[in-house]
Amino acid sequence: MSVSGSSPRPASPRAVSGGSARSWRDALVAVVAGFAVMAAVAAAGLACAGATGLPDGAFPRVLAAVVVMAAGGTVEVTGGAGFLAEADASLSVIPLSVSLAGALTAGALFLRPLHNRAVARPGELLARAGPLVLLWLLALTGAALLARQTFGIAPGDSPVADLGELLDVSPTVGFRAALPATLGFGLLWILGLLLIALLVSRRAPLPAGLVRFHTAVWKRTAAFATVALLLAYVVLGIGVGLVVAATQGHADRTFAVILLGLPNLAWPALTLGFGGAWEGKAEGPFGLPLPRLLDEVLRGRDLSRVDVASLAEHDSRAWWLVAVAAVALLGTGFLAAVRSPAGVRAWQHALHLGVALALATLTVCLLAGVQARFGLSLLGIGDAGGLGGRAELRPVLWRNVGLALLWGALAGFLGALAARPVHRRGLVEERPEPPAAAGG
């Protein structure tokens, strides 16, 4: 790479205008495709869950709510029965299957015009990202405005039913998107997606200031390998789900979990495999769909600790989580090393993969948690007619992140040793060229 002594000529107004138009066109394609894919996956999952039979034509509004949550938005649950009863309801869950589908689509379309180049000006990257972020937030606003609905509920034989019939008041439950929170978290969601896309893809260009420091480029291999690990767990989860659907019945329920929340189960399974833990509780009829084994562990009297040992008390096959995680982590370390220049030392691989896996685990812990609760109390006292339920699953954060750092470092070190005999491109570590002499 040589550097010319003359300064580059400024781009013509026509070129700038054309580039701006292409940026908006590419951004529109990425946003439309991302939301279309999320809507399609969410619609299929909701159909498998039986949501097409909701009253009052509520399916499109429920679909919009799922898309809003998948894009990082906030949906509030409301309800009550006038002065007779009040609802205590909350919902905090991200349908990560829908999120992942939208992220892969939008991220790939964002990177496509930038491929096959080594360097891009920071202004160009901002010009590409700005329209996409703006259009994404506009689309999210439209979905949030649609995501609101109220349902009447049948309390059965209960005090609320008796008094409601007497006073012609019916209990209701509903949902609505909280627009300010949705736009705030949605902005973080799309910015995080674009940043991860640039960090993970080796074909995406970087600003020249980062290319001068070669390590800033080949550290991307650890990020790429970690994302590949997460996607491999999703693929493995799909395979397990298909086997369960074919052999154990309730195929519609299984496909609903696959299409709506498979990463919510697959990625915590990774953390359990390397020694992590979660805790939670499930009770009542409103629990979210959970695998039978996890449901058994969570339905204790108190808050339950979920780790491989507690799962194995109910089914010894849970120990397979450890074996699968060990093989997957070693494969991740090998992949990161094989895609890096040969001159990178083993301890550097260990450091980078350890940090990458720890950050990925922190993200999983923040995204994959579940908290859903609904209770209807008569005159604000107690539970009315059994209309209450709770499903909660949250990470033991520092245990999970600390073990991810440890095992990621070990996998990076062992992967570097295993990759030494493997021939790969770039056997001699590439180094940035020194700046050209003045006038050269």
Side-chain angles (χ1 to χ4, degrees):
M1 180 175 63
S2 61
V3 179
S4 174
S6 60
S7 59
R9 292 186 301 174
S12 66
R14 180 177 300 178
V16 173
S17 175
S20 176
R22 284 195 299 270
S23 297
W24 282 97
R25 180 200 63 195
D26 294 339
L28 180 62
V29 170
V31 170
V32 171
F35 271 86
V37 168
M38 286 195 293
V41 173
L46 290 171
C48 291
T52 52
L54 290 171
D56 303 325
F59 183 80
R61 298 181 182 276
V62 174
L63 174 60
V66 172
V67 171
V68 166
M69 290 189 292
T74 301
V75 173
E76 299 174 342
V77 182
T78 60
F83 67 91
L84 287 178
E86 61 181 14
D88 177 21
S90 65
L91 178 64
S92 177
V93 57
I94 300 177
L96 287 178
S97 292
V98 182
S99 299
L100 182 61
L104 291 176
T105 303
L109 290 174
F110 169 69
L111 292 176
R112 186 174 59 85
L114 300 173
H115 280 169
N116 302 320
R117 297 165 51 193
V119 180
R121 297 186 306 275
E124 181 184 0
L125 294 179
L126 291 176
R128 286 280 178 182
L132 194 151
V133 170
L134 178 59
L135 293 176
W136 187 271
L137 292 180
L138 288 175
L140 186 58
T141 299
L145 294 176
L146 181 61
R148 56 182 64 235
Q149 181 72 29
T150 300
F151 302 98
I153 58 177
D157 186 13
S158 70
V160 171
D162 297 337
L163 291 177
E165 183 178 355
L166 178 63
L167 300 176
D168 194 23
V169 178
S170 299
T172 61
V173 64
F175 62 86
R176 65 186 175 203
L179 188 57
T182 291
L183 293 180
F185 289 118
L187 176 62
L188 295 177
W189 192 95
I190 188 62
L191 291 178
L193 168 63
L194 299 183
L195 177 61
I196 291 173
L198 289 172
L199 288 177
V200 168
S201 176
R202 291 199 308 171
R203 293 192 295 169
L206 290 175
L210 290 180
V211 176
R212 294 172 65 89
F213 301 97
H214 192 61
T215 56
V217 179
W218 57 257
K219 283 177 185 177
R220 298 163 88 177
T221 60
F224 171 84
T226 303
V227 171
L229 170 67
L230 296 178
L231 294 179
Y233 258 77
V234 172
V235 173
L236 180 60
I238 293 174
V240 172
L242 294 177
V243 172
V244 170
T247 60
Q248 297 187 13
H250 303 290
D252 52 351
R253 177 187 174 100
T254 301
F255 281 116
V257 173
I258 291 175
L259 290 166
L260 293 175
L262 180 60
N264 297 76
L265 300 174
W267 293 342
L270 168 63
T271 67
L272 296 178
F274 60 64
W278 295 64
E279 55 187 15
K281 187 175 181 62
E283 60 184 13
F286 285 96
L288 298 178
L290 296 174
R292 176 191 57 81
L293 178 57
L294 181 58
D295 187 71
E296 290 177 357
V297 174
L298 292 179
R299 287 191 180 273
R301 291 185 177 181
D302 302 317
L303 201 65
S304 301
R305 175 63 61 94
V306 180
D307 54 21
V308 174
S310 65
L311 294 174
E313 292 177 0
H314 297 265
D315 190 334
S316 61
R317 290 176 295 181
W319 290 110
W320 279 103
L321 292 173
V322 178
V324 172
V327 173
L329 288 174
L330 288 176
T332 302
F334 180 80
L335 176 63
V338 138
R339 291 174 64 93
S340 299
V344 181
R345 296 178 177 85
W347 69 265
Q348 293 173 306
H349 282 296
L351 175 62
H352 298 149
L353 189 59
V355 171
L357 186 60
L359 291 175
T361 300
L362 176 61
T363 303
V364 167
C365 289
L366 295 177
L367 295 181
V370 174
Q371 182 178 351
R373 184 179 70 255
F374 179 75
L376 188 65
S377 58
L378 180 62
L379 301 178
I381 303 174
D383 179 61
L387 288 175
R390 173 185 176 190
E392 181 179 352
L393 185 66
R394 61 174 184 256
V396 181
L397 187 61
W398 296 114
R399 171 174 169 173
N400 293 350
V401 174
L403 287 172
L405 179 63
L406 174 64
W407 290 111
L410 180 60
F413 186 82
L414 295 178
L417 297 181
R420 283 180 177 176
V422 179
H423 176 74
R424 58 193 187 273
R425 283 181 289 181
L427 286 177
V428 178
E429 182 179 3
E430 302 174 10
R431 300 181 184 275
E433 295 183 11

